[in-house]
């Protein structure tokens, strides 16, 4: 009887673990680390490339960053992008669409630089999640939460994306401003500055890195030969340029828009917190596992006693 009670207690402790295993998460970690992501989203409309422009934003007023991997032949990209449009309606969000470019014969958009940024940032997580570094469709919100494919994990894709947007950016900042500008006096010279961002850690902050980028994004580009039937493709990323430092200037070549004068420069900032390994013994068992292990130890004498009776 005592053995039966001991085994029943173990079963009760294991039950929560089984429930957790059965409930799939809505998203996966985009960069294999919780304390990393992307913020910024400051946008400069470049127009015909003759009028200088600038913008400043408080950190707390920054938009959600939504990076999407897509292709003009991808049929299920259409449903996922429409769902994202519904989820972001009425929100402050900046969308950037990376088009498949490497070894691509049908999609005219994208570039080596946009492919390199996507693979460097999200390729490993995408490969672990769906078996390839460049899977269309894939959406990443705030550089942290990856949604792969067009099948919802919850009640609908719109609900999945909406819940992910509500999480917000979990960067280690709490205040400060970001400045972004372009001057056309002598070429297109871009300036950025986020020196005064304030970290939110109470004690000494762990080591962290920030890497700024400028992405050139066209509002809408027409391609009637696309086999997924969209004809007009929005938020098209033409190139990605990695910058250096929390402030600086860089003179860059602006890609030619496919049609019209709707090219934008978007400032993104990747962030990463480096956590040193904790000193001392590393316990490989989670908290529930420890409880289960202790219960098994407690059951041993009870089993022996029942055998002796």
């Amino acid at each position: 009887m005592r053995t039966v009670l001991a085994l029943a207690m173990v079963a009760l402790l294991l039950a929560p673990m089984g429930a957790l295993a059965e409930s799939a998460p809505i998203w996966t970690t985009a960069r294999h680390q919780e304390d990393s992501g992307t913020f910024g989203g400051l946008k400069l409309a470049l127009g015909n490339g003759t009028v200088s422009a600038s913008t400043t934003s408080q950190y707390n007023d920054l938009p959600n960053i939504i990076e999407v991997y897509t292709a003009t032949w991808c049929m299920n990209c259409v449903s996922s992008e429409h769902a994202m449009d519904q989820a972001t309606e009425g929100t402050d969000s900046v969308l950037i669409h990376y088009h498949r470019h490497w070894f691509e014969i049908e999609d005219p958009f994208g570039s080596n630089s946009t492919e390199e940024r996507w693979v460097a940032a999200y390729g490993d997580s995408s490969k672990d999640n769906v078996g390839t570094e460049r899977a269309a469709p894939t959406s990443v919100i705030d550089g942290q939460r990856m949604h792969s494919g067009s099948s919802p994990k919850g009640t609908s894709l719109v609900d999945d994306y909406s819940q992910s947007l509500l999480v917000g950016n979990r960067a280690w900042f709490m205040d400060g401003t970001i400045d972004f500008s372009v001057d056309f006096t002598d070429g297109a010279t871009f300036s950025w500055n986020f020196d005064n961002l304030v970290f939110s850690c109470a004690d000494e902050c762990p080591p962290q890195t920030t890497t700024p980028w400028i992405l050139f994004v066209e509002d809408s580009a027409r391609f009637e030969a696309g086999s997924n039937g969209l004809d007009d493709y929005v938020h098209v990323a033409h190139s990605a340029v990695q910058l250096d430092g929390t402030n600086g200037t860089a003179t860059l070549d602006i890609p030619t828009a496919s049609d019209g004068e709707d090219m934008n420069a978007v400032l993104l900032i990747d962030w990463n917190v480096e956590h040193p390994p904790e000193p001392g013994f590393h316990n490989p068992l989670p908290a529930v596992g420890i409880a289960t292990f202790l219960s098994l130890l407690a059951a041993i004498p009870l089993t022996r006693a029942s055998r002796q009776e």
Side-chain angles (χ1 to χ4, degrees), residues 6 34 42 49 99 107 171 181 193 229 256:
E34 293 292 340
L42 279 73
H99 280 253
D107 195 322
S181 64
N193 189 331
T256 303

Side-chain angles (χ1 to χ4, degrees), residues 20-42:
L20 288 174
E22 292 173 2
S23 59
I26 292 176
W27 57 77
T28 56
T29 302
R31 284 194 172 108
H32 280 316
Q33 180 179 329
E34 293 292 340
D35 285 333
S36 63
T38 302
F39 65 92
L42 279 73

Side-chain angles (χ1 to χ4, degrees), residues 101-300:
H101 174 74
W102 286 339
F103 313 110
E104 179 63 55
I105 60 173
E106 183 175 337
D107 195 322
F109 305 123
S111 65
N112 286 342
S113 63
T114 58
E115 292 276 49
E116 287 163 2
R117 170 172 165 78
W118 180 271
V119 170
Y122 310 121
D124 287 343
S125 290
S126 178
K127 189 172 183 178
D128 287 349
N129 192 28
V130 295
T132 179
E133 295 177 325
R134 302 176 298 130
T138 297
S139 298
V140 175
I141 297 179
D142 296 325
Q144 298 175 311
R145 299 174 295 282
M146 177 177 287
H147 300 262
S148 302
S150 58
S151 298
K153 304 299 187 295
T155 57
S156 69
L157 274 179
V158 176
D159 187 62
D160 286 358
Y161 297 154
S162 297
Q163 290 189 49
S164 190
L165 287 164
L166 286 174
V167 173
N169 201 312
R170 293 178 289 180
W172 283 46
F173 301 101
M174 59 182 296
D175 201 2
T177 58
I178 302 175
D179 302 313
F180 186 37
S181 64
V182 60
D183 183 86
F184 290 101
T185 303
D186 186 15
T189 301
F190 293 87
S191 302
W192 65 94
N193 189 331
F194 53 97
D195 274 336
N196 65 351
L197 291 183
V198 180
F199 279 87
S200 59
C201 39
D203 300 319
E204 183 178 354
C205 291
Q208 56 250 310
T209 59
T210 52
T211 305
W213 291 76
I214 291 178
L215 272 76
F216 292 99
V217 181
E218 188 174 6
D219 285 334
S220 179
R222 190 160 185 81
F223 181 60
E224 296 179 359
S227 57
N228 63 5
L230 282 182
D231 291 343
D232 292 301
Y233 297 87
V234 294
H235 319 302
V236 177
H238 285 271
S239 68
V241 181
Q242 183 175 331
L243 307 173
D244 186 34
T246 57
N247 72 83
T249 61
T251 300
L252 305 175
D253 294 328
I254 300 174
T256 303
S258 298
D259 48 68
E261 296 178 351
D262 56 348
M263 187 67 71
N264 303 277
V266 182
L267 178 68
L268 301 184
I269 303 168
D270 292 337
W271 62 276
N272 179 72
V273 173
E274 301 174 12
H275 292 289
E278 295 184 3
F281 173 72
H282 173 65
N283 175 32
L285 295 175
V288 176
I290 293 173
T292 305
F293 178 68
L294 292 176
S295 69
L296 289 171
L297 288 179
I300 291 174

